[in-house]
Amino acid sequence: MDRGNFGTKIGVVLATAGSAVGLGNIWRFPYMTGHDGGAAFIVVYIVCVIVLGVPGMIAEFVVGRHGAANAARAYTLAGGNKAWAVVGFIGALTSLIILGFYSVIAGWCLQYLFASIMGNINGDAVYVQEYFRKFSTSAIEPVVWTIAFIVLTHLVVVRGVRRGIEKVSNILMPTLFILLLIIVVASCTLPDAGKGINFLFKPDFSRVDHQVIFDGLGQAFFSLSLGTACLCTYASYFTRQTNLLKSSVQVAVVDTLVAVLAGLMIFPAAFSVGVNPDSGPSLIFITLPNVFQKAFTPVLGYIIGVLFYALLALAALTSTISMHEIGTSLFFEELHISRAKGAVFETVIALLIGIVCSLSCGAVDITVFGKSFLNFCDLLTSNILLPLGSFATCILVGWIAPRKVVKDEFTNWGTASVWAYQGWLFLIRFVSPLCIAVIFFHQLGII
């Protein structure tokens, strides 16, 4: 079976970075930064990326490239026992659930992009808040946009690794950076924008406490897509010449850069008009439209609004492509069917999850344990499945997989990065599992 692989080094970095860059960079990171003291949180976050993010990424790369197969088979080959396939299946299930509810939010971005182009997102905060409430609780429009986004993702993945994922990533990621930089420049030239810039780059370490450290660990973990089998699946398309350490560092740098630029896009504008960024959906669907209307002239506010929601849609698409590919590769390889049929299986299940999640936001009373179905899916994946999958990967690579296999993969068979191997092995055996356990128990409210 010809699985294909990435054709260029830049394709590897852009596609893999695209799997990590998403709404969490542009939505969650700025809010966490605002909540946890600005620049001090960014410093903590970068340390967490170095200690947890990069080592965890390399561990998934090792499993994926060694297996050169879907996640379930790759974990079986790395562990030498079919029981390890459970970790791959959990990763695929996790990504499938995330694909379903993530596409709902991505669909909202498409709706807001369309509404921004048509000039419908305007007025004061009360108007914008009511607009979001009516739209998100509708039984029709959000479902239509959710379906549209999943189908759009399907059309990319079904074309394969080089002609689909790599080719589209090579277009989407540079475009995302260009849009982001345009809005950053516009935001940083506003009156009093310097206050927002200082907030982002002048650390006050007195703000750092245990909660900031917990948040930094969590953001590093979720932002880099650890535990979803995304990285493992993409690594299965790496060639033997791909330097895993170098690639992981490049992906982490791109991901962090996008997050910091998102802060530069939001905070100078927010400080300029005296608005404090909120959390959750209200930040990008209520607060920021109001900020853009207040901060810029009507014409410029219109342009920035359109560019902003185009940026969000692109960021979401780079993530959903990787989520879709995990299940697609698993279906077509394990069921011995064509790639097209595997993609259809993944798309149909994701559509069912996405539709139910969308309806649970207010149109229909669909709850699990007292939470909307969308929030339940979010909590199930982020609080339980993701940490468990990533913890198991650390144990597998650090303690179970043959040491020669792990060393050969990390060092590209002795041709690169031999000096860093022992340090990375220590982190993946002791430090990373501890960090993941802390995240897990903190998410459950035990710590």
Side-chain angles (χ1 to χ4, degrees):
M1 181 183 295
D2 183 15
R3 304 182 70 249
N5 53 44
F6 291 117
T8 61
K9 291 182 179 179
I10 190 66
V12 169
V13 174
L14 292 180
T16 310
S19 72
V21 171
L23 295 179
N25 300 73
I26 301 170
W27 177 357
R28 191 174 189 269
F29 182 87
Y31 162 66
M32 297 305 299
T33 302
H35 182 265
D36 289 338
F41 171 77
I42 294 177
V43 173
V44 171
Y45 169 74
I46 291 174
V47 172
C48 292
V49 167
I50 295 170
V51 172
L52 171 63
V54 171
M57 200 185 314
I58 295 173
E60 292 200 30
F61 283 172
V62 166
V63 174
R65 186 169 69 174
H66 173 68
N70 66 77
R73 196 177 301 180
Y75 275 92
T76 297
L77 292 171
N81 190 309
K82 288 186 177 181
W84 282 101
V86 173
V87 181
F89 282 119
I90 288 176
L93 174 63
T94 302
S95 293
L96 178 56
I97 295 172
I98 294 175
L99 174 60
F101 75 76
Y102 194 93
S103 295
V104 176
I105 312 301
W108 293 353
C109 296
L110 284 183
Q111 160 63 20
Y112 266 63
L113 173 59
F114 175 75
S116 297
I117 293 172
M118 300 303 293
N120 294 333
I121 306 297
N122 53 56
D124 58 19
V126 175
Y127 168 83
V128 177
Q129 186 171 3
E130 183 63 14
Y131 180 91
F132 176 71
R133 186 193 66 79
K134 286 183 178 180
F135 164 72
S136 62
T137 57
S138 168
I140 299 175
E141 283 185 290
V143 171
V144 170
W145 286 112
T146 298
I147 293 172
F149 206 92
I150 294 176
V151 170
L152 180 61
T153 303
H154 172 92
L155 293 175
V156 174
V157 174
V158 77
R159 292 178 59 83
V161 178
R162 288 198 188 185
R163 294 191 306 118
I165 297 171
E166 182 175 2
K167 186 175 181 179
V168 171
S169 296
N170 287 346
I171 297 172
L172 293 184
M173 289 302 292
T175 304
L176 186 150
F177 264 103
I178 291 170
L179 293 179
L180 190 53
L181 287 172
I182 291 172
I183 303 176
V184 166
V185 170
S187 180
C188 289
T189 54
L190 290 169
D192 292 326
K195 295 179 181 178
I197 297 172
N198 286 336
F199 181 75
L200 278 175
F201 295 110
K202 190 175 181 181
D204 177 8
F205 291 109
S206 66
R207 298 286 302 272
V208 176
D209 56 16
H210 68 280
Q211 185 61 48
V212 173
I213 295 173
F214 285 146
D215 289 344
L217 282 171
Q219 180 63 23
F221 180 82
F222 296 116
S223 182
L224 293 171
S225 301
L226 300 182
T228 63
C230 287
L231 301 169
C232 171
T233 300
Y234 271 21
S236 72
Y237 303 122
F238 289 0
T239 66
R240 288 171 65 94
Q241 288 71 44
T242 302
N243 186 310
L244 301 188
L245 174 60
K246 185 176 180 181
S247 296
S248 65
V249 171
Q250 289 170 335
V251 170
V253 168
V254 171
D255 185 73
T256 302
L257 181 60
V258 170
V260 173
L261 286 175
L264 274 175
M265 172 181 67
I266 291 171
F267 284 107
F271 272 76
S272 179
V273 297
V275 174
N276 185 38
D278 300 309
S279 63
S282 61
L283 172 61
I284 57 177
F285 297 112
I286 297 175
T287 305
L288 288 181
N290 187 40
V291 167
F292 293 150
Q293 290 294 323
K294 287 183 176 180
F296 301 104
T297 63
V299 174
L300 189 55
Y302 170 84
I303 294 172
I304 295 297
V306 170
L307 294 180
F308 176 71
Y309 289 108
L311 169 67
L312 288 178
L314 291 179
L317 183 58
T318 61
S319 293
T320 56
I321 288 170
S322 64
M323 295 175 203
H324 197 295
E325 174 60 21
I326 298 162
T328 296
S329 64
L330 190 146
F331 281 130
F332 92 80
E333 290 177 17
E334 295 304 309
L335 299 180
H336 304 289
I337 57 179
S338 68
R339 180 182 183 87
K341 288 183 179 178
V344 169
F345 278 21
E346 177 79 1
T347 295
V348 169
I349 300 172
L351 282 171
L352 293 174
I353 296 172
I355 290 170
V356 176
C357 284
S358 181
L359 293 174
S360 74
C361 291
V364 181
D365 184 19
I366 306 174
T367 59
V368 180
F369 299 121
K371 298 184 180 297
S372 72
F373 187 69
L374 187 148
N375 286 334
F376 168 75
C377 288
D378 185 14
L379 291 173
L380 173 65
T381 53
S382 63
N383 288 13
I384 299 174
L385 297 181
L386 286 173
L388 288 179
S390 192
F391 184 86
T393 300
C394 291
I395 299 303
L396 170 63
V397 175
W399 299 95
I400 307 297
R403 191 60 52 234
K404 184 178 186 305
V405 168
V406 174
K407 185 175 182 179
D408 285 346
E409 290 290 344
F410 184 94
T411 64
N412 275 28
W413 294 268
T415 62
S417 312
V418 178
W419 62 270
Y421 170 71
Q422 290 299 334
W424 167 78
L425 187 61
F426 174 81
L427 289 174
I428 212 64
R429 296 181 86 178
F430 301 104
V431 179
S432 294
L434 177 62
C435 291
I436 295 167
V438 167
I439 294 169
F440 179 69
F441 290 120
H442 180 60
Q443 291 285 88
L444 294 180
I446 297 174
I447 298 180

